Amino acid sequence: MSTVVWMHEDAVNGTLLGRGPAVFVFDEDYLRREGYTLKRVGFLYECLLELPVEIRKGEAVEQILAFAAEHDADEVVMQASPNPWIRGVGAALERVLKVRRMVPEPFVELGGQPDLKRFSRYWARVESRLPIG
Amino acid sequence: MAEKVGTRLGPSTLLQPALPRGSGPAAMKREFRDRAELENYLRASFAYLASDPDGLSPIRGGRDSALKALAAVEPGRYERTRNHLDGAVSRLSMYIRHGVLTLPEAMRAALTKVRRPREAYKFVQELAWRDYWQRLYEHLGAGVWEDREESKTGIRAEELNADLPEEVLEGRSGLACMDAFVGELRATGYLHNHARMWFAAWVVHWLRVRWQAGARFYLEHLLDGDPASNNLSWQWVASTFSHKPYYFNRENLERYTSGRFCRNCARRNDCPFEGSYETLAERLFGPETVR
């Protein structure tokens, strides 16, 4: 058995491509619900055309599962995301396949979560850890 | 559980071999003669896009375009001029939004362009805003659509309009500045940050429309539209995620646009933004408001 990559809209890059064949799904229900205009869909599409990824349309979970089955995969690798819809798709996939969520290189390394009440509090914690002194 | 992965990304050309051809009814095309063919294909593929009144953005997607934009970044000029509509802004946001470029990558690139790291301070701080919004998104999820705090304007949400007026969505308000911003947003999917703020303040404080309607409008059109950055910025303007509302006056808008809109505006003698901040605050929020 093997691994496939689910590329979603928060991670249109080559980072995970070495791990297996990749698929991106344009889920029309999601696009319509979010109100993505032609500009937005076209921009995403052009980003995808530079990457070796199969572009599909349809219901996301269904298409990713079909893609995994076509490649005899029992594992899906994806980039972790705070987007509730992406998380929901990941959770649905997990009912059938093993799902590995990869965290991209952080902007700044912090031990623990900073105070996020206001940007100023976050910045007070972060500034000295960035190479801009 | 999530695992970490390195994200030093090469040029997209390194990834060109072995493009999948696609198969089955769900697979979409990868070869297009030109952008017109791509546009027609997308209109035909997604029923709801068939009647989209706007076309593709002149801003191209892809890592090649992202790297060109990154190469053009001037952190020093960015710091000095970014608030002006003609300032040296980076236009990286749409690539960062979709992970085509990463924040660490943009920061490293900026630092190679300055003699002293401090010269990239403001640019890096703006990248930090994106990190901040994403960290908040982790916590809030769909909660980014709800007021984070009570409004400081003294105006209750129930008193606000739920929708944006048609003439605003179509750029027919009669205000040259706002109509130009809508025109640019709809034609390009991009708007300078200062213009975003002016428009948002007008919508929320002058037109008294709920911030969610404006946020939705931006997310439909902005190539860099992200629910966290976008909605929490609207809330910052509305004062449901800040300690006072953001508003502006004509003098401020004229200064950062070199007066280009006001010169020929049909309402130049009847401008709703004319006046001191004190006068406008009283007109918009009443005498007891937090300033």
Side-chain angles (χ1 to χ4, degrees), chain B residues 61-124:
Chain B
R63 187 156 166 86
D64 288 345
S65 301
L67 291 176
K68 277 182 199 146
L70 189 59
V73 166
E74 298 178 72
R77 278 190 65 219
Y78 174 86
E79 178 155 353
R80 290 189 301 278
T81 67
R82 73 188 185 288
N83 287 330
H84 197 284
L85 250 54
D86 300 325
V89 293
S90 70
R91 290 176 176 256
L92 297 177
S93 54
M94 58 288 289
Y95 303 108
I96 290 172
R97 155 69 182 93
H98 289 298
V100 179
L101 287 178
T102 68
L103 289 178
E105 190 180 19
M107 177 166 63
R108 284 192 288 266
L111 289 168
T112 64
K113 291 165 174 276
V114 291
R115 284 163 301 169
R116 289 180 301 277
R118 200 75 184 170
E119 291 167 30
Y121 183 93
K122 202 67 206 171
F123 181 80
V124 171

Side-chain angles (χ1 to χ4, degrees), chain B residues 28-84:
Chain B
M28 297 190 74
K29 266 178 69 164
R30 294 194 53 100
E31 314 264 336
F32 298 93
R33 273 192 315 277
D34 51 30
R35 298 185 96 213
E37 189 184 354
L38 171 64
E39 178 174 333
N40 290 335
Y41 177 70
L42 293 175
R43 287 185 188 279
S45 299
F46 301 111
Y48 85 100
L49 291 180
S51 56
D52 189 322
D54 307 313
L56 293 179
S57 167
I59 302 165
R60 288 179 182 252
R63 187 156 166 86
D64 288 345
S65 301
L67 291 176
K68 277 182 199 146
L70 189 59
V73 166
E74 298 178 72
R77 278 190 65 219
Y78 174 86
E79 178 155 353
R80 290 189 301 278
T81 67
R82 73 188 185 288
N83 287 330
H84 197 284

Side-chain angles (χ1 to χ4, degrees), chain A residues 33-48:
Chain A
R33 205 165 54 242
E34 296 296 305
Y36 278 23
T37 48
L38 182 63
K39 288 186 290 292
R40 295 207 64 178
V41 176
F43 181 82
L44 262 173
Y45 211 100
E46 284 185 323
C47 291
L48 291 164

Side-chain angles (χ1 to χ4, degrees), chain A residues 15-16 19 80 100-106 108-110, chain B residues 1-7:
Chain A
T15 311
L16 301 177
R19 294 168 185 265
R100 294 176 71 190
R101 297 172 181 82
M102 312 305 288
V103 176
E105 179 188 3
V108 57
E109 289 278 8
L110 296 170
Chain B
M1 291 301 291
E3 301 167 47
K4 289 187 178 181
V5 66
T7 50

Side-chain angles (χ1 to χ4, degrees), chain B:
Chain B
M1 291 301 291
E3 301 167 47
K4 289 187 178 181
V5 66
T7 50
R8 280 191 186 258
L9 309 174
S12 62
T13 44
L14 294 177
L15 301 163
Q16 285 296 350
L19 288 177
R21 290 276 159 237
S23 59
M28 297 190 74
K29 266 178 69 164
R30 294 194 53 100
E31 314 264 336
F32 298 93
R33 273 192 315 277
D34 51 30
R35 298 185 96 213
E37 189 184 354
L38 171 64
E39 178 174 333
N40 290 335
Y41 177 70
L42 293 175
R43 287 185 188 279
S45 299
F46 301 111
Y48 85 100
L49 291 180
S51 56
D52 189 322
D54 307 313
L56 293 179
S57 167
I59 302 165
R60 288 179 182 252
R63 187 156 166 86
D64 288 345
S65 301
L67 291 176
K68 277 182 199 146
L70 189 59
V73 166
E74 298 178 72
R77 278 190 65 219
Y78 174 86
E79 178 155 353
R80 290 189 301 278
T81 67
R82 73 188 185 288
N83 287 330
H84 197 284
L85 250 54
D86 300 325
V89 293
S90 70
R91 290 176 176 256
L92 297 177
S93 54
M94 58 288 289
Y95 303 108
I96 290 172
R97 155 69 182 93
H98 289 298
V100 179
L101 287 178
T102 68
L103 289 178
E105 190 180 19
M107 177 166 63
R108 284 192 288 266
L111 289 168
T112 64
K113 291 165 174 276
V114 291
R115 284 163 301 169
R116 289 180 301 277
R118 200 75 184 170
E119 291 167 30
Y121 183 93
K122 202 67 206 171
F123 181 80
V124 171
Q125 190 181 48
E126 293 302 315
L127 296 177
W129 273 98
R130 160 85 187 168
D131 184 57
Y132 173 67
W133 298 132
Q134 291 300 294
R135 286 173 187 268
L136 269 169
Y137 201 11
E138 282 282 343
H139 284 284
L140 302 174
V144 297
W145 285 100
E146 296 160 16
D147 286 356
R148 300 307 310 148
E149 300 162 14
E150 216 166 274
S151 165
K152 319 305 182 296
T153 62
I155 300 160
R156 287 176 291 117
E158 305 83 73
E159 297 174 69
L160 301 171
N161 299 300
D163 301 309
L164 277 167
E166 279 299 309
E167 62 266 27
V168 170
L169 294 170
E170 292 168 7
R172 294 187 289 104
S173 75
L175 292 167
C177 51
M178 299 301 160
D179 291 347
F181 300 152
V182 169
E184 185 181 351
L185 174 64
R186 295 188 57 153
T188 69
Y190 178 81
L191 207 51
H192 187 287
N193 188 55
H194 218 154
R196 296 184 195 200
M197 288 165 55
W198 290 322
F199 181 82
W202 176 56
V203 164
V204 175
H205 302 312
W206 274 267
L207 302 180
R208 295 208 168 179
V209 173
R210 289 187 189 178
W211 65 260
Q212 286 92 338
R216 167 91 184 171
F217 177 55
Y218 274 9
L219 285 175
E220 288 169 357
H221 292 280
L222 284 171
L223 302 183
D224 61 24
D226 170 86
S229 312
N230 180 64
N231 293 16
L232 295 168
S233 296
W234 274 86
Q235 296 214 46
W236 182 83
V237 168
S239 79
T240 54
F241 189 52
S242 57
H243 62 275
K244 60 178 183 181
Y246 168 79
Y247 57 102
F248 65 95
N249 66 7
R250 177 174 173 169
E251 187 191 353
N252 174 268
L253 191 143
E254 278 198 285
R255 184 189 317 146
Y256 290 106
T257 60
S258 303
R260 77 184 69 160
F261 302 113
C262 303
R263 267 192 294 276
N264 300 313
C265 179
R267 293 189 60 188
R268 62 186 176 280
N269 298 320
D270 166 34
C271 174
F273 313 125
E274 185 75 64
S276 68
Y277 280 92
E278 291 72 23
T279 310
L280 287 174
E282 188 150 342
R283 194 185 307 155
L284 296 172
F285 313 120
E288 302 298 322
T289 317
V290 178
R291 306 279 158 83

